[in-house]
């Protein structure tokens, strides 16, 4: 799609053209900015978590507690606490004020991803390998765990019984990624069968389900406002989805319709995407590519590709965007 013909003013925007700087501290497997964007946490393949000060590009903290690769990182809203999950079956909640471990939770399986509650740093949700996701409250030294469902909520037809084949398929559902809604009252989950489940935190029950794709949902990420969501899945399509405020009074989950806003993909090369992220305003989506060193940038106004950034020679795995695009005065 030719953006110059659609909107010539879009060409007046200033997009990044080249790699401008690096921070180094081992092989990073995941990265995450805090809410303000002044610190960047990096999880390494050896289990170490490194926190960089973006202003100085120096190392602010090195956190050692895991023995295997870091899978995910999640910051508390105030930026003081950091949750790390690892292939060593553990999640650790770090207090960055002193660099100590506030809580350590061990599971019965490796952790895909873990996300802190947006308002309560002592609560998080974790997706586990070949196991059901868990909502964990670490207010006390002994954590309280509540198992969450992975099977989608099916529309009930009066007088119809549950199909045996359908029940068997639902039993094979596994949650691969979970995130909290902006207010933290609901959990948005993706499964290995392409389902998009909304789970109520108070009851731990699925209140809405939509089939998003035919493959595995790999990643879900909300904008800071919580009004938009981006998904990455094994069908090699990136989707952006407007998310309503589930917590507003009188909101009807039974009549909720989840609709995809844009689908981003490389229709020529059929590239797989390692990681996707929103820009800080949510106006742009960026993605790193599998077995490639390029970063693709799309703008959501027209749903068009605006830039392909050439990175270093090695493949780029994780991707995080603080302020990717700025408007020229």
């Amino acid at each position: 799609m030719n953006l110059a013909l659609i909107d010539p003013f879009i060409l007046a925007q200033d997009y990044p053209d080249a790699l401008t700087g690096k921070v180094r501290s081992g092989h990073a497997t995941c990265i995450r900015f805090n809410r303000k964007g002044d610190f960047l946490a990096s999880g390494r393949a050896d289990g170490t978590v490194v926190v960089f000060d973006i202003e100085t590009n120096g190392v602010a903290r090195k956190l050692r507690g895991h023995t295997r690769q870091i899978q995910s990182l999640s910051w508390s809203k105030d930026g003081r606490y950091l949750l790390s999950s690892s292939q060593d079956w553990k999640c650790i909640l770090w207090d960055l004020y002193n660099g100590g471990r506030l809580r350590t939770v061990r599971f019965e399986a490796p952790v895909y991803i873990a996300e802190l509650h947006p308002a309560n740093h002592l609560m998080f949700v974790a997706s586990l390998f070949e196991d059901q996701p868990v909502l964990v409250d670490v207010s006390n030294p002994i954590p309280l765990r509540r198992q969450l469902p992975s099977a989608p909520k099916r529309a009930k037809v009066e007088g119809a019984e549950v199909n045996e084949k359908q029940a068997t398929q639902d039993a094979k559902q596994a949650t691969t990624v979970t995130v909290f809604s902006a207010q933290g009252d609901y959990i948005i989950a993706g499964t290995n069968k392409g389902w998009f489940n909304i789970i109520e935190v108070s009851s731990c029950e699925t209140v809405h389900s939509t089939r998003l794709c035919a493959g595995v949902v790999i990643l879900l990420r909300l904008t800071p406002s919580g009004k938009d969501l981006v998904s990455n899945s094994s069908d090699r399509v990136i989707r952006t989805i407007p998310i309503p405020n589930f917590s507003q009074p009188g909101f009807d989950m039974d009549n909720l319709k989840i609709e995809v806003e844009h689908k981003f993909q490389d229709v020529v090369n059929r590239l797989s995407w390692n990681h996707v992220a929103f820009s800080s305003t949510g106006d742009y989506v960026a993605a790193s590519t599998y077995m490639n060193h390029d970063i693709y940038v799309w703008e959501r106004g027209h749903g068009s590709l605006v830039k392909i950034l050439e990175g270093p020679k090695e493949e780029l795995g994780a991707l995080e965007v603080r302020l990717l695009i700025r408007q020229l005065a």
Side-chain angles (χ1 to χ4, degrees):
M1 187 177 291
N2 193 331
L3 280 178
L5 297 178
I6 298 172
D7 186 356
F9 293 102
I10 202 166
L11 298 179
Q13 293 177 340
D14 185 23
Y15 303 106
D17 287 314
L19 186 67
T20 57
K22 298 179 181 181
V23 287
R24 295 180 179 273
S25 184
H27 177 197
T29 55
C30 61
I31 52 177
R32 196 79 181 263
F33 277 111
N34 67 344
R35 194 174 184 87
K36 291 182 179 179
D38 52 353
F39 287 96
L40 176 69
S42 169
R44 298 196 321 202
D46 65 358
T48 303
V49 177
V50 182
V51 180
F52 295 99
D53 184 331
I54 296 302
E55 186 176 349
T56 64
N57 282 349
V59 174
R61 290 281 184 196
K62 275 194 177 182
L63 310 172
R64 294 183 173 89
H66 293 289
T67 57
R68 300 191 68 182
Q69 175 178 308
I70 302 297
Q71 288 291 101
S72 69
L73 296 163
S74 178
W75 290 85
S76 63
K77 188 175 182 178
D78 62 4
R80 174 171 174 172
Y81 302 97
L82 180 70
L83 179 71
S84 58
S85 71
S86 169
Q87 291 181 0
D88 65 4
W89 302 18
K90 290 189 299 186
C91 285
I92 298 178
L93 181 63
W94 304 90
D95 184 348
L96 298 182
Y97 181 76
N98 55 21
R101 300 185 217 179
L102 189 63
R103 296 284 190 271
T104 300
V105 180
R106 182 174 177 82
F107 297 96
E108 300 302 317
V111 184
Y112 275 133
I113 189 169
E115 188 84 6
L116 278 177
H117 190 281
N120 181 4
H121 70 273
L122 296 175
M123 179 180 288
F124 67 90
V125 61
S127 303
L128 307 178
F129 179 70
E130 294 185 345
D131 205 345
Q132 297 302 313
V134 182
L135 179 64
V136 184
D137 186 338
V138 292
S139 300
N140 298 310
I142 299 176
L144 175 64
R145 311 179 194 209
R146 300 166 68 190
Q147 195 173 79
L148 303 173
S150 290
K153 181 182 180 181
R154 306 279 187 176
K156 292 183 179 179
V157 179
E158 191 174 344
E161 295 183 2
V162 178
N163 185 292
E164 185 178 339
K165 182 180 178 181
Q166 180 179 299
T168 302
Q169 289 177 343
D170 286 351
K172 295 179 181 179
Q173 296 274 352
T175 298
T176 51
V177 59
T178 45
V179 294
F180 283 100
S181 63
Q183 289 75 28
D185 298 331
Y186 294 88
I187 294 165
I188 302 171
T191 77
N192 61 336
K193 302 295 183 181
W195 282 89
F196 180 91
N197 295 329
I198 299 174
I199 303 168
E200 189 177 42
V201 170
S202 59
S203 65
C204 291
E205 294 182 356
T206 301
V207 294
H208 177 84
S209 296
T210 297
R211 189 73 182 272
L212 198 62
C213 61
V216 179
V217 180
I218 301 170
L219 181 72
L220 299 173
R221 182 69 70 85
L222 286 166
T223 55
S225 67
K227 294 180 179 180
D228 298 281
L229 179 140
V230 65
S231 73
N232 183 24
S233 51
S234 61
D235 64 359
R236 307 183 184 191
V237 178
I238 297 167
R239 295 169 173 86
T240 58
I241 304 166
I243 299 295
N245 182 3
F246 304 138
S247 302
Q248 67 183 358
F251 188 85
D252 187 5
M253 278 290 181
D254 293 332
N255 293 320
L256 173 63
K257 290 186 178 180
I258 298 294
E259 296 182 353
V260 174
E261 176 194 49
H262 294 299
K263 292 182 179 180
F264 301 128
Q265 58 185 315
D266 187 323
V267 294
V268 177
N269 301 312
R270 294 292 295 160
L271 292 173
S272 295
W273 310 105
N274 272 339
H275 202 87
V276 297
F278 279 114
S279 64
S280 57
T281 59
D283 295 330
Y284 296 85
V285 173
S288 60
T289 51
Y290 179 69
M291 298 295 290
N292 202 317
H293 56 264
D294 294 334
I295 297 175
Y296 284 61
V297 182
W298 296 269
E299 59 85 32
R300 291 176 56 208
H302 296 99
S304 303
L305 179 69
V306 294
K307 201 74 177 178
I308 300 176
L309 302 174
E310 190 171 322
K313 293 182 179 180
E314 63 270 16
E315 177 186 350
L316 296 173
L319 175 71
E320 186 74 3
V321 183
R322 180 180 62 156
L323 188 58
L324 182 64
I325 309 294
R326 65 179 175 86
Q327 191 80 20
L328 278 178

Short mmCIF file of all heavy atoms in Angstrom, two decimals, residues 154-186:
data_model
loop_
_atom_site.label_atom_id
_atom_site.label_comp_id
_atom_site.label_asym_id
_atom_site.label_seq_id
_atom_site.Cartn_x
_atom_site.Cartn_y
_atom_site.Cartn_z
N ARG A 154 -18.34 -21.76 25.88
CA ARG A 154 -19.15 -22.00 24.68
C ARG A 154 -20.54 -21.43 24.86
O ARG A 154 -21.08 -21.40 25.97
CB ARG A 154 -19.26 -23.50 24.41
CG ARG A 154 -17.93 -24.24 24.32
CD ARG A 154 -17.29 -24.07 22.97
NE ARG A 154 -16.10 -24.91 22.83
CZ ARG A 154 -15.40 -25.01 21.72
NH1 ARG A 154 -15.75 -24.34 20.64
NH2 ARG A 154 -14.33 -25.79 21.67
N ALA A 155 -21.12 -20.98 23.75
CA ALA A 155 -22.49 -20.49 23.77
C ALA A 155 -23.43 -21.67 24.04
O ALA A 155 -23.36 -22.70 23.36
CB ALA A 155 -22.84 -19.83 22.45
N LYS A 156 -24.29 -21.53 25.03
CA LYS A 156 -25.19 -22.61 25.40
C LYS A 156 -26.45 -22.57 24.53
O LYS A 156 -27.09 -21.54 24.39
CB LYS A 156 -25.57 -22.50 26.87
CG LYS A 156 -24.41 -22.77 27.81
CD LYS A 156 -24.85 -22.73 29.27
CE LYS A 156 -23.69 -23.02 30.21
NZ LYS A 156 -24.10 -22.97 31.63
N VAL A 157 -26.76 -23.73 23.95
CA VAL A 157 -27.98 -23.87 23.16
C VAL A 157 -28.97 -24.67 23.99
O VAL A 157 -28.67 -25.76 24.47
CB VAL A 157 -27.71 -24.59 21.82
CG1 VAL A 157 -29.01 -24.73 21.03
CG2 VAL A 157 -26.66 -23.84 21.01
N GLU A 158 -30.14 -24.10 24.19
CA GLU A 158 -31.14 -24.73 25.06
C GLU A 158 -31.50 -26.12 24.55
O GLU A 158 -31.84 -26.33 23.39
CB GLU A 158 -32.39 -23.85 25.11
CG GLU A 158 -33.38 -24.29 26.18
CD GLU A 158 -34.54 -23.32 26.32
OE1 GLU A 158 -34.43 -22.19 25.82
OE2 GLU A 158 -35.55 -23.71 26.91
N GLY A 159 -31.40 -27.10 25.45
CA GLY A 159 -31.76 -28.47 25.13
C GLY A 159 -30.66 -29.28 24.48
O GLY A 159 -30.78 -30.49 24.31
N ALA A 160 -29.54 -28.63 24.14
CA ALA A 160 -28.43 -29.34 23.49
C ALA A 160 -27.42 -29.80 24.53
O ALA A 160 -27.13 -29.09 25.48
CB ALA A 160 -27.75 -28.44 22.46
N GLU A 161 -26.90 -31.00 24.33
CA GLU A 161 -25.89 -31.55 25.24
C GLU A 161 -24.50 -31.25 24.69
O GLU A 161 -24.31 -30.99 23.50
CB GLU A 161 -26.08 -33.06 25.39
CG GLU A 161 -27.40 -33.44 26.07
CD GLU A 161 -27.51 -34.94 26.27
OE1 GLU A 161 -26.56 -35.65 25.91
OE2 GLU A 161 -28.56 -35.37 26.79
N VAL A 162 -23.52 -31.28 25.59
CA VAL A 162 -22.14 -31.02 25.19
C VAL A 162 -21.65 -32.15 24.28
O VAL A 162 -21.73 -33.33 24.64
CB VAL A 162 -21.23 -30.90 26.42
CG1 VAL A 162 -19.78 -30.68 25.99
CG2 VAL A 162 -21.69 -29.76 27.32
N ASN A 163 -21.17 -31.77 23.11
CA ASN A 163 -20.64 -32.74 22.17
C ASN A 163 -19.38 -33.40 22.73
O ASN A 163 -18.51 -32.72 23.27
CB ASN A 163 -20.33 -32.02 20.85
CG ASN A 163 -19.89 -32.96 19.76
OD1 ASN A 163 -18.82 -33.53 19.84
ND2 ASN A 163 -20.73 -33.08 18.74
N GLU A 164 -19.30 -34.73 22.59
CA GLU A 164 -18.16 -35.46 23.16
C GLU A 164 -16.85 -35.04 22.50
O GLU A 164 -15.82 -34.89 23.17
CB GLU A 164 -18.38 -36.97 22.98
CG GLU A 164 -17.29 -37.81 23.66
CD GLU A 164 -17.56 -39.30 23.52
OE1 GLU A 164 -18.72 -39.68 23.29
OE2 GLU A 164 -16.59 -40.06 23.66
N LYS A 165 -16.90 -34.83 21.19
CA LYS A 165 -15.71 -34.40 20.47
C LYS A 165 -15.27 -33.01 20.94
O LYS A 165 -14.09 -32.76 21.14
CB LYS A 165 -15.99 -34.38 18.97
CG LYS A 165 -14.79 -33.99 18.12
CD LYS A 165 -15.14 -34.00 16.64
CE LYS A 165 -13.94 -33.56 15.81
NZ LYS A 165 -14.27 -33.54 14.35
N GLN A 166 -16.25 -32.14 21.14
CA GLN A 166 -15.96 -30.78 21.61
C GLN A 166 -15.37 -30.80 23.00
O GLN A 166 -14.42 -30.08 23.31
CB GLN A 166 -17.24 -29.95 21.61
CG GLN A 166 -17.05 -28.52 22.07
CD GLN A 166 -18.35 -27.74 22.02
OE1 GLN A 166 -18.95 -27.58 20.97
NE2 GLN A 166 -18.80 -27.27 23.17
N ALA A 167 -15.91 -31.66 23.88
CA ALA A 167 -15.39 -31.78 25.24
C ALA A 167 -13.95 -32.29 25.24
O ALA A 167 -13.12 -31.84 26.03
CB ALA A 167 -16.28 -32.70 26.05
N THR A 168 -13.65 -33.21 24.32
CA THR A 168 -12.29 -33.75 24.21
C THR A 168 -11.33 -32.67 23.74
O THR A 168 -10.20 -32.56 24.24
CB THR A 168 -12.27 -34.94 23.23
OG1 THR A 168 -13.18 -35.94 23.68
CG2 THR A 168 -10.87 -35.54 23.15
N GLN A 169 -11.78 -31.87 22.77
CA GLN A 169 -10.94 -30.78 22.27
C GLN A 169 -10.67 -29.73 23.35
O GLN A 169 -9.55 -29.24 23.50
CB GLN A 169 -11.61 -30.13 21.06
CG GLN A 169 -11.62 -30.99 19.82
CD GLN A 169 -12.37 -30.33 18.67
OE1 GLN A 169 -13.14 -29.40 18.87
NE2 GLN A 169 -12.15 -30.83 17.45
N ASP A 170 -11.72 -29.40 24.13
CA ASP A 170 -11.56 -28.41 25.19
C ASP A 170 -10.60 -28.89 26.27
O ASP A 170 -9.89 -28.10 26.90
CB ASP A 170 -12.92 -28.08 25.81
CG ASP A 170 -13.77 -27.21 24.89
OD1 ASP A 170 -13.24 -26.73 23.88
OD2 ASP A 170 -14.97 -27.03 25.19
N ALA A 171 -10.57 -30.21 26.50
CA ALA A 171 -9.67 -30.76 27.51
C ALA A 171 -8.20 -30.61 27.09
O ALA A 171 -7.31 -30.63 27.94
CB ALA A 171 -10.00 -32.23 27.74
N LYS A 172 -7.97 -30.45 25.80
CA LYS A 172 -6.60 -30.28 25.29
C LYS A 172 -6.17 -28.82 25.25
O LYS A 172 -5.03 -28.52 24.88
CB LYS A 172 -6.49 -30.88 23.88
CG LYS A 172 -6.70 -32.40 23.84
CD LYS A 172 -6.60 -32.91 22.41
CE LYS A 172 -6.83 -34.42 22.37
NZ LYS A 172 -6.77 -34.93 20.98
N GLN A 173 -7.08 -27.91 25.61
CA GLN A 173 -6.72 -26.49 25.63
C GLN A 173 -5.68 -26.21 26.70
O GLN A 173 -5.78 -26.70 27.82
CB GLN A 173 -7.97 -25.64 25.90
CG GLN A 173 -9.03 -25.70 24.84
CD GLN A 173 -8.81 -24.71 23.72
OE1 GLN A 173 -7.92 -23.85 23.78
NE2 GLN A 173 -9.60 -24.84 22.67
N ALA A 174 -4.68 -25.43 26.35
CA ALA A 174 -3.66 -25.01 27.31
C ALA A 174 -3.44 -23.51 27.14
O ALA A 174 -3.33 -23.01 26.01
CB ALA A 174 -2.36 -25.77 27.09
N THR A 175 -3.39 -22.80 28.23
CA THR A 175 -3.16 -21.35 28.18
C THR A 175 -1.68 -21.07 27.99
O THR A 175 -0.84 -21.56 28.75
CB THR A 175 -3.68 -20.68 29.46
OG1 THR A 175 -5.10 -20.88 29.56
CG2 THR A 175 -3.40 -19.19 29.45
N THR A 176 -1.36 -20.27 26.98
CA THR A 176 0.04 -19.98 26.66
C THR A 176 0.47 -18.57 27.08
O THR A 176 1.66 -18.31 27.21
CB THR A 176 0.27 -20.14 25.15
OG1 THR A 176 -0.73 -19.39 24.44
CG2 THR A 176 0.15 -21.61 24.75
N VAL A 177 -0.50 -17.67 27.30
CA VAL A 177 -0.16 -16.30 27.68
C VAL A 177 -1.33 -15.68 28.43
O VAL A 177 -2.49 -15.95 28.11
CB VAL A 177 0.22 -15.46 26.44
CG1 VAL A 177 -0.93 -15.42 25.44
CG2 VAL A 177 0.65 -14.05 26.82
N THR A 178 -1.02 -14.87 29.43
CA THR A 178 -2.06 -14.19 30.23
C THR A 178 -1.61 -12.77 30.55
O THR A 178 -0.43 -12.53 30.85
CB THR A 178 -2.33 -14.93 31.55
OG1 THR A 178 -1.07 -15.29 32.16
CG2 THR A 178 -3.15 -16.19 31.34
N VAL A 179 -2.56 -11.83 30.49
CA VAL A 179 -2.30 -10.45 30.92
C VAL A 179 -3.53 -9.94 31.66
O VAL A 179 -4.65 -10.41 31.43
CB VAL A 179 -1.99 -9.51 29.72
CG1 VAL A 179 -0.69 -9.89 29.06
CG2 VAL A 179 -3.14 -9.50 28.73
N PHE A 180 -3.34 -8.98 32.54
CA PHE A 180 -4.46 -8.34 33.24
C PHE A 180 -5.05 -7.24 32.38
O PHE A 180 -4.33 -6.59 31.59
CB PHE A 180 -3.99 -7.73 34.56
CG PHE A 180 -3.78 -8.73 35.67
CD1 PHE A 180 -2.52 -9.18 35.98
CD2 PHE A 180 -4.86 -9.22 36.40
CE1 PHE A 180 -2.31 -10.09 37.02
CE2 PHE A 180 -4.68 -10.12 37.43
CZ PHE A 180 -3.40 -10.56 37.73
N SER A 181 -6.34 -7.00 32.55
CA SER A 181 -6.95 -5.81 31.95
C SER A 181 -6.41 -4.58 32.67
O SER A 181 -5.75 -4.69 33.70
CB SER A 181 -8.48 -5.88 32.07
OG SER A 181 -8.87 -5.88 33.44
N ALA A 182 -6.71 -3.39 32.14
CA ALA A 182 -6.14 -2.15 32.68
C ALA A 182 -6.49 -1.94 34.14
O ALA A 182 -5.66 -1.49 34.94
CB ALA A 182 -6.60 -0.96 31.85
N GLN A 183 -7.72 -2.28 34.54
CA GLN A 183 -8.16 -2.10 35.93
C GLN A 183 -7.78 -3.29 36.81
O GLN A 183 -7.84 -3.20 38.03
CB GLN A 183 -9.67 -1.89 35.99
CG GLN A 183 -10.15 -0.55 35.45
CD GLN A 183 -10.11 -0.50 33.93
OE1 GLN A 183 -10.23 -1.52 33.27
NE2 GLN A 183 -9.95 0.69 33.38
N GLY A 184 -7.42 -4.41 36.20
CA GLY A 184 -7.02 -5.60 36.96
C GLY A 184 -8.17 -6.47 37.41
O GLY A 184 -7.96 -7.43 38.16
N ASP A 185 -9.40 -6.18 36.96
CA ASP A 185 -10.55 -6.98 37.35
C ASP A 185 -10.70 -8.24 36.51
O ASP A 185 -11.43 -9.17 36.88
CB ASP A 185 -11.85 -6.17 37.23
CG ASP A 185 -11.85 -4.96 38.16
OD1 ASP A 185 -11.20 -5.04 39.21
OD2 ASP A 185 -12.49 -3.95 37.83
N TYR A 186 -10.03 -8.26 35.35
CA TYR A 186 -10.15 -9.39 34.44
C TYR A 186 -8.77 -9.80 33.94
O TYR A 186 -7.83 -9.00 33.93
CB TYR A 186 -11.05 -9.05 33.25
CG TYR A 186 -12.49 -8.82 33.64
CD1 TYR A 186 -12.93 -7.55 34.02
CD2 TYR A 186 -13.41 -9.87 33.64
CE1 TYR A 186 -14.25 -7.34 34.40
CE2 TYR A 186 -14.72 -9.66 34.02
CZ TYR A 186 -15.14 -8.40 34.39
OH TYR A 186 -16.45 -8.19 34.77
#
